[in-house]
C-alpha cells in the first residue's frame, strides 16, 4: 500500500487507514485480530482509535493485539484526546492529559504517533489546550499532534500560530480528522482550503458514507449490516436520504462500468482528493476490510470522477 506524508510534516501514513470504532462491541477480538493482520500484511500502517470507542474497549482490544498479533513498530497509532464523559472539561489540560495517559495504558505503549485533540473549546483558553500538547510532546508521550473536526477558522487560528503561549513549533498540528465522503463534502467549503494553506493533511473518516455508498442499503437494511446494529443504526440512518440515493446510484453505475465494486469507487474518490493524507475505513470483519484494501490499484477515470463530483455537489 502506498504511503503519504501527513501535510507538510515528516509523518508518513498508509493512504488507507484502519478504524477501530466497533472493536470490542460489534467486532470481536478475534475478528479485530484478523483485520489487523490483513491490514499490516498489505502494508497498511495508520490505525485510528479513541477512548470513547466502546468506552475504552476498542483500545483494550487493540492493545492486546499490539502485544502479539503485530509489532508496535508496524503501525502508526493515531489516538483522539477526550475527557471522561462526566468530566465536563473536554479540552482542559487536566482532562486531555488524563485521557492520554488512560489511552497509553490501554494500548500498552509509551507513545502515540499522532495525538488528535479538540482544537476549540469555548470553556477553556486555547493556550491551555495547546499547553497539554506541549507537555505530551516534551514528555515523549506524543510524536505529532492533530485536530479533530475543526471548523476552517478554528484550524486557521490554531495552525496559524495565533497564540502567545506554548511553543508553536511543538504544538502546531499536522493533521485534521473529519468526516468526508461523496455524501459529506462540507469540508470542501472552508476546512480543506484552510488545511492545505497551512500544510495540514486530512484524515477522512467514514469515506464510505457510513456504509451507505457500498449500495448495501438500496433495497432495505441487511440483517448483518451496521444499519441493523443497535449501536450504529442512527449513525447510518443519518446518511440515508433522497439526495444520497441519487449519489449511490451514480456510484453503482460507475462501478458497473469499471468492473469493480461500489465500495472501491467511493473509497478511491475520497482517497485521491487533494489534501487527503489517508481515508480511514472501519469493517465488521476481515472480509469487509479486504474489500476496502482491494481498491489499492484503482484509479478513477477523469470523466467518472467529474460525474461523481457533479452529482454529489452540495451547492
Amino acid at each position: 500500500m502506498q504511503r503519504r506524508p501527513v501535510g507538510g510534516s515528516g509523518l508518513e501514513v498508509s493512504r488507507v487507514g484502519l478504524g477501530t470504532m466497533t472493536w470490542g462491541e460489534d467486532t470481536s477480538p478475534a475478528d479485530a485480530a484478523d483485520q489487523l493482520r490483513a491490514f499490516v500484511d498489505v502494508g497498511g500502517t495508520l490505525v485510528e482509535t479513541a477512548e470513547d470507542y466502546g468506552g475504552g474497549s476498542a483500545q483494550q482490544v487493540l492493545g492486546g493485539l499490539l502485544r502479539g498479533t503485530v509489532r508496535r513498530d508496524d503501525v502508526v497509532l493515531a489516538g483522539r484526546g477526550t475527557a471522561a464523559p462526566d468530566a465536563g472539561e473536554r479540552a482542559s489540560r487536566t482532562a486531555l492529559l488524563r485521557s492520554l495517559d488512560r489511552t497509553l495504558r490501554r494500548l500498552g505503549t509509551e507513545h502515540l504517533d499522532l495525538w488528535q485533540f479538540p482544537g476549540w473549546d469555548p470553556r477553556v483558553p486555547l493556550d491551555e489546550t495547546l499547553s497539554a500538547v506541549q507537555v505530551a510532546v516534551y514528555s515523549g508521550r506524543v510524536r505529532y499532534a492533530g485536530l479533530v473536526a475543526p471548523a476552517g477558522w478554528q484550524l486557521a487560528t490554531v495552525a496559524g500560530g495565533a497564540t502567545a503561549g506554548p511553543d508553536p513549533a511543538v504544538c502546531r498540528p499536522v493533521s485534521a480528522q473529519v468526516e468526508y465522503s461523496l455524501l459529506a463534502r462540507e469540508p470542501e467549503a472552508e476546512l480543506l482550503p484552510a488545511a492545505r494553506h497551512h500544510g495540514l493533511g486530512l484524515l477522512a473518516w467514514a469515506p464510505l458514507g457510513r456504509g451507505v455508498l457500498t449500495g448495501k442499503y438500496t433495497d432495505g437494511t441487511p440483517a448483518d449490516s451496521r444499519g441493523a446494529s443497535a449501536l450504529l443504526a442512527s449513525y447510518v440512518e443519518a446518511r440515508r436520504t433522497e439526495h444520497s440515493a441519487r449519489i449511490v446510484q451514480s456510484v453503482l453505475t460507475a462501478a458497473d462500468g469499471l468492473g469493480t465494486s461500489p465500495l472501491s469507487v467511493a473509497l478511491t474518490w475520497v482517497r485521491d482528493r487533494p489534501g487527503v493524507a489517508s481515508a480511514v475505513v472501519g469493517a465488521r470483519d476481515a472480509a469487509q476490510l479486504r474489500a476496502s484494501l482491494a481498491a489499492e490499484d484503482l484509479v478513477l477515470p477523469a470523466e467518472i470522477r467529474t460525474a461523481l463530483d457533479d452529482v454529489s455537489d452540495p451547492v
Side-chain angles (χ1 to χ4, degrees), residues 106-179:
R106 292 191 191 101
L107 295 175
T109 185
E110 295 181 350
H111 75 278
L112 292 178
D113 300 292
L114 177 63
W115 188 36
Q116 302 172 100
F117 63 96
W120 204 268
D121 185 341
R123 300 163 297 180
V124 179
L126 178 59
D127 281 350
E128 179 180 338
T129 298
L130 295 179
S131 72
V133 178
Q134 179 171 287
V135 170
V137 173
Y138 282 170
S139 66
R141 287 176 280 180
V142 166
R143 298 293 188 260
Y144 293 89
L147 296 170
V148 177
W153 68 270
Q154 294 169 345
L155 181 150
T157 299
V158 176
T163 172
D167 183 352
V170 171
C171 301
R172 189 176 184 279
V174 302
S175 67
Q177 182 180 10
V178 67
E179 181 172 3

Side-chain angles (χ1 to χ4, degrees), residues 78-94:
R80 201 168 68 220
T82 56
D86 59 351
E89 298 176 325
R90 183 170 59 90
S92 74
R93 179 167 50 239
T94 296

Side-chain angles (χ1 to χ4, degrees), residues 116-315:
Q116 302 172 100
F117 63 96
W120 204 268
D121 185 341
R123 300 163 297 180
V124 179
L126 178 59
D127 281 350
E128 179 180 338
T129 298
L130 295 179
S131 72
V133 178
Q134 179 171 287
V135 170
V137 173
Y138 282 170
S139 66
R141 287 176 280 180
V142 166
R143 298 293 188 260
Y144 293 89
L147 296 170
V148 177
W153 68 270
Q154 294 169 345
L155 181 150
T157 299
V158 176
T163 172
D167 183 352
V170 171
C171 301
R172 189 176 184 279
V174 302
S175 67
Q177 182 180 10
V178 67
E179 181 172 3
Y180 186 39
S181 74
L182 280 162
L183 303 186
R185 294 182 60 185
E186 294 83 1
E188 294 176 5
E190 293 185 0
L191 180 60
L192 263 172
R196 293 175 67 185
H197 176 77
H198 289 284
L200 276 70
L202 193 76
L203 303 185
W205 65 270
L208 304 179
R210 308 184 183 188
V212 174
L213 287 166
T214 65
K216 68 174 67 176
Y217 299 106
T218 303
D219 298 317
T221 302
D224 63 346
S225 69
R226 290 183 176 183
S229 162
L231 176 66
L232 296 171
S234 60
Y235 169 82
V236 174
E237 196 62 29
R239 292 300 178 202
R240 297 177 69 177
T241 65
E242 290 185 11
H243 178 61
S244 297
R246 292 192 291 272
I247 298 171
V248 170
Q249 187 55 55
S250 296
V251 171
L252 293 173
T253 300
D256 185 60
L258 293 172
T260 189
S261 68
L263 182 157
S264 292
V265 170
L267 178 59
T268 300
W269 182 90
V270 176
R271 184 197 68 198
D272 294 342
R273 296 296 281 182
V276 172
S278 187
V280 180
V281 298
R284 183 179 63 254
D285 52 36
Q288 278 194 345
L289 178 62
R290 290 190 180 95
S292 295
L293 300 178
E296 173 65 17
D297 296 326
L298 180 62
V299 177
L300 295 181
E303 60 271 20
I304 288 180
R305 182 171 289 279
T306 298
L308 291 174
D309 289 352
D310 290 343
V311 74
S312 64
D313 192 338
V315 179

